[in-house]
PDB file of all heavy atoms in Angstrom:
ATOM      1  N   ASN A   5      -5.542 -35.724  15.373  1.00 45.00           N
ATOM      2  CA  ASN A   5      -5.132 -37.027  14.867  1.00 45.00           C
ATOM      3  C   ASN A   5      -5.032 -37.069  13.347  1.00 45.00           C
ATOM      4  O   ASN A   5      -4.658 -38.087  12.742  1.00 45.00           O
ATOM      5  CB  ASN A   5      -6.134 -38.102  15.314  1.00 45.00           C
ATOM      6  CG  ASN A   5      -6.103 -38.282  16.840  1.00 45.00           C
ATOM      7  OD1 ASN A   5      -5.056 -38.102  17.463  1.00 45.00           O
ATOM      8  ND2 ASN A   5      -7.258 -38.582  17.410  1.00 45.00           N
ATOM      9  N   GLN A   6      -5.357 -35.940  12.697  1.00 50.00           N
ATOM     10  CA  GLN A   6      -5.324 -35.909  11.242  1.00 50.00           C
ATOM     11  C   GLN A   6      -3.949 -35.419  10.778  1.00 50.00           C
ATOM     12  O   GLN A   6      -3.220 -34.739  11.501  1.00 50.00           O
ATOM     13  CB  GLN A   6      -6.405 -34.991  10.688  1.00 50.00           C
ATOM     14  CG  GLN A   6      -7.804 -35.489  11.014  1.00 50.00           C
ATOM     15  CD  GLN A   6      -8.851 -34.542  10.480  1.00 50.00           C
ATOM     16  OE1 GLN A   6      -8.556 -33.504   9.929  1.00 50.00           O
ATOM     17  NE2 GLN A   6     -10.119 -34.879  10.700  1.00 50.00           N
ATOM     18  N   THR A   7      -3.592 -35.774   9.542  1.00 52.00           N
ATOM     19  CA  THR A   7      -2.321 -35.363   8.974  1.00 52.00           C
ATOM     20  C   THR A   7      -2.388 -33.875   8.645  1.00 52.00           C
ATOM     21  O   THR A   7      -3.325 -33.421   7.965  1.00 52.00           O
ATOM     22  CB  THR A   7      -2.029 -36.164   7.710  1.00 52.00           C
ATOM     23  OG1 THR A   7      -2.034 -37.555   8.026  1.00 52.00           O
ATOM     24  CG2 THR A   7      -0.699 -35.773   7.111  1.00 52.00           C
ATOM     25  N   ARG A   8      -1.402 -33.124   9.100  1.00 66.00           N
ATOM     26  CA  ARG A   8      -1.383 -31.682   8.844  1.00 66.00           C
ATOM     27  C   ARG A   8      -0.729 -31.442   7.479  1.00 66.00           C
ATOM     28  O   ARG A   8       0.346 -31.920   7.195  1.00 66.00           O
ATOM     29  CB  ARG A   8      -0.601 -30.963   9.949  1.00 66.00           C
ATOM     30  CG  ARG A   8      -0.583 -29.446   9.750  1.00 66.00           C
ATOM     31  CD  ARG A   8       0.084 -28.757  10.916  1.00 66.00           C
ATOM     32  NE  ARG A   8       0.205 -27.333  10.705  1.00 66.00           N
ATOM     33  CZ  ARG A   8      -0.750 -26.461  10.945  1.00 66.00           C
ATOM     34  NH1 ARG A   8      -1.908 -26.901  11.412  1.00 66.00           N
ATOM     35  NH2 ARG A   8      -0.573 -25.173  10.735  1.00 66.00           N
ATOM     36  N   VAL A   9      -1.415 -30.649   6.653  1.00 67.00           N
ATOM     37  CA  VAL A   9      -0.905 -30.309   5.336  1.00 67.00           C
ATOM     38  C   VAL A   9       0.155 -29.238   5.449  1.00 67.00           C
ATOM     39  O   VAL A   9      -0.034 -28.204   6.091  1.00 67.00           O
ATOM     40  CB  VAL A   9      -2.056 -29.790   4.435  1.00 67.00           C
ATOM     41  CG1 VAL A   9      -1.515 -29.310   3.094  1.00 67.00           C
ATOM     42  CG2 VAL A   9      -3.080 -30.899   4.214  1.00 67.00           C
ATOM     43  N   THR A  10       1.318 -29.489   4.853  1.00 68.00           N
ATOM     44  CA  THR A  10       2.425 -28.508   4.845  1.00 68.00           C
ATOM     45  C   THR A  10       2.774 -28.039   3.456  1.00 68.00           C
ATOM     46  O   THR A  10       3.474 -27.031   3.282  1.00 68.00           O
ATOM     47  CB  THR A  10       3.677 -29.102   5.525  1.00 68.00           C
ATOM     48  OG1 THR A  10       4.061 -30.304   4.811  1.00 68.00           O
ATOM     49  CG2 THR A  10       3.416 -29.437   6.979  1.00 68.00           C
ATOM     50  N   GLN A  11       2.363 -28.779   2.442  1.00 77.00           N
ATOM     51  CA  GLN A  11       2.615 -28.417   1.049  1.00 77.00           C
ATOM     52  C   GLN A  11       1.284 -28.197   0.337  1.00 77.00           C
ATOM     53  O   GLN A  11       0.332 -28.941   0.523  1.00 77.00           O
ATOM     54  CB  GLN A  11       3.384 -29.537   0.324  1.00 77.00           C
ATOM     55  CG  GLN A  11       4.823 -29.712   0.823  1.00 77.00           C
ATOM     56  CD  GLN A  11       5.761 -28.633   0.319  1.00 77.00           C
ATOM     57  OE1 GLN A  11       5.581 -28.127  -0.786  1.00 77.00           O
ATOM     58  NE2 GLN A  11       6.735 -28.276   1.147  1.00 77.00           N
ATOM     59  N   PHE A  12       1.250 -27.147  -0.474  1.00 80.00           N
ATOM     60  CA  PHE A  12       0.038 -26.839  -1.251  1.00 80.00           C
ATOM     61  C   PHE A  12       0.345 -26.961  -2.719  1.00 80.00           C
ATOM     62  O   PHE A  12       1.463 -26.799  -3.183  1.00 80.00           O
ATOM     63  CB  PHE A  12      -0.460 -25.432  -0.930  1.00 80.00           C
ATOM     64  CG  PHE A  12      -0.938 -25.259   0.499  1.00 80.00           C
ATOM     65  CD1 PHE A  12      -0.069 -24.912   1.510  1.00 80.00           C
ATOM     66  CD2 PHE A  12      -2.266 -25.482   0.795  1.00 80.00           C
ATOM     67  CE1 PHE A  12      -0.507 -24.775   2.808  1.00 80.00           C
ATOM     68  CE2 PHE A  12      -2.715 -25.339   2.092  1.00 80.00           C
ATOM     69  CZ  PHE A  12      -1.843 -24.993   3.114  1.00 80.00           C
ATOM     70  N   VAL A  13      -0.708 -27.266  -3.485  1.00 81.00           N
ATOM     71  CA  VAL A  13      -0.574 -27.480  -4.929  1.00 81.00           C
ATOM     72  C   VAL A  13      -1.382 -26.408  -5.643  1.00 81.00           C
ATOM     73  O   VAL A  13      -2.541 -26.158  -5.355  1.00 81.00           O
ATOM     74  CB  VAL A  13      -1.092 -28.887  -5.334  1.00 81.00           C
ATOM     75  CG1 VAL A  13      -0.958 -29.066  -6.845  1.00 81.00           C
ATOM     76  CG2 VAL A  13      -0.325 -29.954  -4.580  1.00 81.00           C
ATOM     77  N   PHE A  14      -0.733 -25.756  -6.637  1.00 80.00           N
ATOM     78  CA  PHE A  14      -1.406 -24.750  -7.444  1.00 80.00           C
ATOM     79  C   PHE A  14      -2.122 -25.401  -8.629  1.00 80.00           C
ATOM     80  O   PHE A  14      -1.589 -26.305  -9.252  1.00 80.00           O
ATOM     81  CB  PHE A  14      -0.421 -23.723  -8.004  1.00 80.00           C
ATOM     82  CG  PHE A  14       0.298 -22.951  -6.961  1.00 80.00           C
ATOM     83  CD1 PHE A  14       1.682 -22.747  -7.068  1.00 80.00           C
ATOM     84  CD2 PHE A  14      -0.362 -22.404  -5.912  1.00 80.00           C
ATOM     85  CE1 PHE A  14       2.345 -22.021  -6.124  1.00 80.00           C
ATOM     86  CE2 PHE A  14       0.296 -21.673  -4.945  1.00 80.00           C
ATOM     87  CZ  PHE A  14       1.673 -21.478  -5.052  1.00 80.00           C
ATOM     88  N   LEU A  15      -3.303 -24.894  -8.959  1.00 77.00           N
ATOM     89  CA  LEU A  15      -3.910 -25.275 -10.213  1.00 77.00           C
ATOM     90  C   LEU A  15      -3.282 -24.514 -11.376  1.00 77.00           C
ATOM     91  O   LEU A  15      -3.339 -24.973 -12.517  1.00 77.00           O
ATOM     92  CB  LEU A  15      -5.426 -25.017 -10.181  1.00 77.00           C
ATOM     93  CG  LEU A  15      -6.273 -25.954  -9.301  1.00 77.00           C
ATOM     94  CD1 LEU A  15      -7.747 -25.568  -9.408  1.00 77.00           C
ATOM     95  CD2 LEU A  15      -6.071 -27.412  -9.702  1.00 77.00           C
ATOM     96  N   GLY A  16      -2.705 -23.364 -11.060  1.00 74.00           N
ATOM     97  CA  GLY A  16      -2.051 -22.573 -12.084  1.00 74.00           C
ATOM     98  C   GLY A  16      -3.050 -21.796 -12.922  1.00 74.00           C
ATOM     99  O   GLY A  16      -4.230 -21.673 -12.605  1.00 74.00           O
ATOM    100  N   LEU A  17      -2.570 -21.277 -14.047  1.00 78.00           N
ATOM    101  CA  LEU A  17      -3.405 -20.465 -14.917  1.00 78.00           C
ATOM    102  C   LEU A  17      -4.224 -21.314 -15.879  1.00 78.00           C
ATOM    103  O   LEU A  17      -5.338 -20.942 -16.249  1.00 78.00           O
ATOM    104  CB  LEU A  17      -2.528 -19.481 -15.733  1.00 78.00           C
ATOM    105  CG  LEU A  17      -1.795 -18.422 -14.903  1.00 78.00           C
ATOM    106  CD1 LEU A  17      -0.882 -17.597 -15.804  1.00 78.00           C
ATOM    107  CD2 LEU A  17      -2.767 -17.499 -14.179  1.00 78.00           C
ATOM    108  N   THR A  18      -3.672 -22.438 -16.316  1.00 77.00           N
ATOM    109  CA  THR A  18      -4.341 -23.283 -17.287  1.00 77.00           C
ATOM    110  C   THR A  18      -3.706 -24.673 -17.246  1.00 77.00           C
ATOM    111  O   THR A  18      -2.591 -24.853 -16.777  1.00 77.00           O
ATOM    112  CB  THR A  18      -4.226 -22.700 -18.705  1.00 77.00           C
ATOM    113  OG1 THR A  18      -4.898 -23.573 -19.638  1.00 77.00           O
ATOM    114  CG2 THR A  18      -2.778 -22.552 -19.126  1.00 77.00           C
ATOM    115  N   ASP A  19      -4.460 -25.664 -17.776  1.00 78.00           N
ATOM    116  CA  ASP A  19      -3.890 -27.015 -17.893  1.00 78.00           C
ATOM    117  C   ASP A  19      -3.652 -27.366 -19.368  1.00 78.00           C
ATOM    118  O   ASP A  19      -3.336 -28.495 -19.702  1.00 78.00           O
ATOM    119  CB  ASP A  19      -4.828 -28.055 -17.255  1.00 78.00           C
ATOM    120  CG  ASP A  19      -6.255 -27.996 -17.825  1.00 78.00           C
ATOM    121  OD1 ASP A  19      -6.509 -27.143 -18.702  1.00 78.00           O
ATOM    122  OD2 ASP A  19      -7.068 -28.814 -17.379  1.00 78.00           O
ATOM    123  N   ASN A  20      -3.793 -26.373 -20.235  1.00 81.00           N
ATOM    124  CA  ASN A  20      -3.508 -26.560 -21.660  1.00 81.00           C
ATOM    125  C   ASN A  20      -2.017 -26.290 -21.895  1.00 81.00           C
ATOM    126  O   ASN A  20      -1.542 -25.188 -21.678  1.00 81.00           O
ATOM    127  CB  ASN A  20      -4.370 -25.584 -22.481  1.00 81.00           C
ATOM    128  CG  ASN A  20      -4.223 -25.791 -23.986  1.00 81.00           C
ATOM    129  OD1 ASN A  20      -3.144 -25.851 -24.513  1.00 81.00           O
ATOM    130  ND2 ASN A  20      -5.367 -25.932 -24.664  1.00 81.00           N
ATOM    131  N   TRP A  21      -1.294 -27.309 -22.380  1.00 82.00           N
ATOM    132  CA  TRP A  21       0.165 -27.174 -22.489  1.00 82.00           C
ATOM    133  C   TRP A  21       0.576 -26.139 -23.520  1.00 82.00           C
ATOM    134  O   TRP A  21       1.636 -25.489 -23.386  1.00 82.00           O
ATOM    135  CB  TRP A  21       0.805 -28.528 -22.818  1.00 82.00           C
ATOM    136  CG  TRP A  21       0.505 -29.070 -24.200  1.00 82.00           C
ATOM    137  CD1 TRP A  21      -0.562 -29.850 -24.575  1.00 82.00           C
ATOM    138  CD2 TRP A  21       1.254 -28.831 -25.373  1.00 82.00           C
ATOM    139  NE1 TRP A  21      -0.508 -30.128 -25.888  1.00 82.00           N
ATOM    140  CE2 TRP A  21       0.611 -29.523 -26.431  1.00 82.00           C
ATOM    141  CE3 TRP A  21       2.430 -28.149 -25.662  1.00 82.00           C
ATOM    142  CZ2 TRP A  21       1.108 -29.538 -27.737  1.00 82.00           C
ATOM    143  CZ3 TRP A  21       2.916 -28.142 -26.965  1.00 82.00           C
ATOM    144  CH2 TRP A  21       2.263 -28.818 -27.996  1.00 82.00           C
ATOM    145  N   VAL A  22      -0.238 -25.936 -24.567  1.00 85.00           N
ATOM    146  CA  VAL A  22       0.079 -24.921 -25.557  1.00 85.00           C
ATOM    147  C   VAL A  22       0.001 -23.528 -24.925  1.00 85.00           C
ATOM    148  O   VAL A  22       0.891 -22.676 -25.099  1.00 85.00           O
ATOM    149  CB  VAL A  22      -0.879 -25.015 -26.781  1.00 85.00           C
ATOM    150  CG1 VAL A  22      -0.602 -23.872 -27.752  1.00 85.00           C
ATOM    151  CG2 VAL A  22      -0.717 -26.357 -27.457  1.00 85.00           C
ATOM    152  N   LEU A  23      -1.070 -23.285 -24.180  1.00 85.00           N
ATOM    153  CA  LEU A  23      -1.213 -22.013 -23.489  1.00 85.00           C
ATOM    154  C   LEU A  23      -0.123 -21.842 -22.432  1.00 85.00           C
ATOM    155  O   LEU A  23       0.356 -20.701 -22.220  1.00 85.00           O
ATOM    156  CB  LEU A  23      -2.585 -21.919 -22.835  1.00 85.00           C
ATOM    157  CG  LEU A  23      -3.786 -21.733 -23.773  1.00 85.00           C
ATOM    158  CD1 LEU A  23      -5.080 -21.703 -22.982  1.00 85.00           C
ATOM    159  CD2 LEU A  23      -3.632 -20.448 -24.595  1.00 85.00           C
ATOM    160  N   GLU A  24       0.270 -22.910 -21.787  1.00 84.00           N
ATOM    161  CA  GLU A  24       1.323 -22.816 -20.787  1.00 84.00           C
ATOM    162  C   GLU A  24       2.639 -22.319 -21.416  1.00 84.00           C
ATOM    163  O   GLU A  24       3.337 -21.487 -20.849  1.00 84.00           O
ATOM    164  CB  GLU A  24       1.550 -24.169 -20.112  1.00 84.00           C
ATOM    165  CG  GLU A  24       0.460 -24.554 -19.122  1.00 84.00           C
ATOM    166  CD  GLU A  24       0.779 -25.828 -18.379  1.00 84.00           C
ATOM    167  OE1 GLU A  24       1.510 -26.680 -18.933  1.00 84.00           O
ATOM    168  OE2 GLU A  24       0.272 -25.990 -17.244  1.00 84.00           O
ATOM    169  N   ILE A  25       2.953 -22.842 -22.598  1.00 88.00           N
ATOM    170  CA  ILE A  25       4.170 -22.411 -23.304  1.00 88.00           C
ATOM    171  C   ILE A  25       4.056 -20.949 -23.713  1.00 88.00           C
ATOM    172  O   ILE A  25       5.014 -20.168 -23.542  1.00 88.00           O
ATOM    173  CB  ILE A  25       4.435 -23.302 -24.548  1.00 88.00           C
ATOM    174  CG1 ILE A  25       4.764 -24.717 -24.088  1.00 88.00           C
ATOM    175  CG2 ILE A  25       5.570 -22.733 -25.379  1.00 88.00           C
ATOM    176  CD1 ILE A  25       4.917 -25.702 -25.228  1.00 88.00           C
ATOM    177  N   LEU A  26       2.892 -20.530 -24.230  1.00 90.00           N
ATOM    178  CA  LEU A  26       2.691 -19.163 -24.627  1.00 90.00           C
ATOM    179  C   LEU A  26       2.777 -18.228 -23.431  1.00 90.00           C
ATOM    180  O   LEU A  26       3.415 -17.165 -23.486  1.00 90.00           O
ATOM    181  CB  LEU A  26       1.353 -19.003 -25.348  1.00 90.00           C
ATOM    182  CG  LEU A  26       1.197 -19.691 -26.697  1.00 90.00           C
ATOM    183  CD1 LEU A  26      -0.227 -19.549 -27.212  1.00 90.00           C
ATOM    184  CD2 LEU A  26       2.206 -19.141 -27.698  1.00 90.00           C
ATOM    185  N   PHE A  27       2.134 -18.633 -22.325  1.00 87.00           N
ATOM    186  CA  PHE A  27       2.173 -17.818 -21.109  1.00 87.00           C
ATOM    187  C   PHE A  27       3.603 -17.725 -20.602  1.00 87.00           C
ATOM    188  O   PHE A  27       4.048 -16.660 -20.158  1.00 87.00           O
ATOM    189  CB  PHE A  27       1.288 -18.413 -20.040  1.00 87.00           C
ATOM    190  CG  PHE A  27      -0.176 -18.205 -20.291  1.00 87.00           C
ATOM    191  CD1 PHE A  27      -1.132 -19.044 -19.724  1.00 87.00           C
ATOM    192  CD2 PHE A  27      -0.632 -17.132 -21.052  1.00 87.00           C
ATOM    193  CE1 PHE A  27      -2.495 -18.855 -19.928  1.00 87.00           C
ATOM    194  CE2 PHE A  27      -1.984 -16.927 -21.273  1.00 87.00           C
ATOM    195  CZ  PHE A  27      -2.899 -17.800 -20.709  1.00 87.00           C
ATOM    196  N   PHE A  28       4.335 -18.825 -20.662  1.00 90.00           N
ATOM    197  CA  PHE A  28       5.719 -18.833 -20.169  1.00 90.00           C
ATOM    198  C   PHE A  28       6.579 -17.839 -20.948  1.00 90.00           C
ATOM    199  O   PHE A  28       7.333 -17.039 -20.363  1.00 90.00           O
ATOM    200  CB  PHE A  28       6.311 -20.227 -20.259  1.00 90.00           C
ATOM    201  CG  PHE A  28       7.783 -20.277 -19.877  1.00 90.00           C
ATOM    202  CD1 PHE A  28       8.144 -20.334 -18.551  1.00 90.00           C
ATOM    203  CD2 PHE A  28       8.765 -20.243 -20.840  1.00 90.00           C
ATOM    204  CE1 PHE A  28       9.473 -20.349 -18.169  1.00 90.00           C
ATOM    205  CE2 PHE A  28      10.106 -20.280 -20.494  1.00 90.00           C
ATOM    206  CZ  PHE A  28      10.468 -20.343 -19.153  1.00 90.00           C
ATOM    207  N   MET A  29       6.478 -17.845 -22.254  1.00 92.00           N
ATOM    208  CA  MET A  29       7.275 -16.945 -23.082  1.00 92.00           C
ATOM    209  C   MET A  29       6.876 -15.484 -22.846  1.00 92.00           C
ATOM    210  O   MET A  29       7.737 -14.588 -22.723  1.00 92.00           O
ATOM    211  CB  MET A  29       7.097 -17.289 -24.569  1.00 92.00           C
ATOM    212  CG  MET A  29       7.723 -18.636 -24.943  1.00 92.00           C
ATOM    213  SD  MET A  29       7.775 -18.939 -26.730  1.00 92.00           S
ATOM    214  CE  MET A  29       5.990 -19.002 -27.063  1.00 92.00           C
ATOM    215  N   ALA A  30       5.579 -15.229 -22.765  1.00 91.00           N
ATOM    216  CA  ALA A  30       5.123 -13.854 -22.566  1.00 91.00           C
ATOM    217  C   ALA A  30       5.495 -13.315 -21.205  1.00 91.00           C
ATOM    218  O   ALA A  30       6.030 -12.210 -21.069  1.00 91.00           O
ATOM    219  CB  ALA A  30       3.596 -13.798 -22.751  1.00 91.00           C
ATOM    220  N   PHE A  31       5.250 -14.091 -20.147  1.00 91.00           N
ATOM    221  CA  PHE A  31       5.517 -13.630 -18.783  1.00 91.00           C
ATOM    222  C   PHE A  31       7.023 -13.599 -18.494  1.00 91.00           C
ATOM    223  O   PHE A  31       7.484 -12.761 -17.705  1.00 91.00           O
ATOM    224  CB  PHE A  31       4.800 -14.504 -17.768  1.00 91.00           C
ATOM    225  CG  PHE A  31       3.305 -14.420 -17.863  1.00 91.00           C
ATOM    226  CD1 PHE A  31       2.505 -15.496 -17.508  1.00 91.00           C
ATOM    227  CD2 PHE A  31       2.697 -13.261 -18.323  1.00 91.00           C
ATOM    228  CE1 PHE A  31       1.095 -15.403 -17.609  1.00 91.00           C
ATOM    229  CE2 PHE A  31       1.321 -13.162 -18.407  1.00 91.00           C
ATOM    230  CZ  PHE A  31       0.522 -14.241 -18.058  1.00 91.00           C
ATOM    231  N   SER A  32       7.787 -14.465 -19.131  1.00 92.00           N
ATOM    232  CA  SER A  32       9.259 -14.401 -18.975  1.00 92.00           C
ATOM    233  C   SER A  32       9.780 -13.106 -19.542  1.00 92.00           C
ATOM    234  O   SER A  32      10.638 -12.417 -18.903  1.00 92.00           O
ATOM    235  CB  SER A  32       9.930 -15.577 -19.696  1.00 92.00           C
ATOM    236  OG  SER A  32       9.573 -16.810 -19.109  1.00 92.00           O
TER     237      SER A  32
END
Side-chain angles (χ1 to χ4, degrees):
N5 294 328
Q6 297 179 358
T7 303
R8 182 175 176 83
V9 174
T10 58
Q11 292 285 326
F12 294 88
V13 180
F14 298 135
L15 288 182
L17 296 175
T18 179
D19 55 0
N20 185 309
W21 68 271
V22 176
L23 289 178
E24 286 185 334
I25 294 175
L26 293 176
F27 286 156
F28 175 81
M29 292 189 295
F31 295 151
S32 295

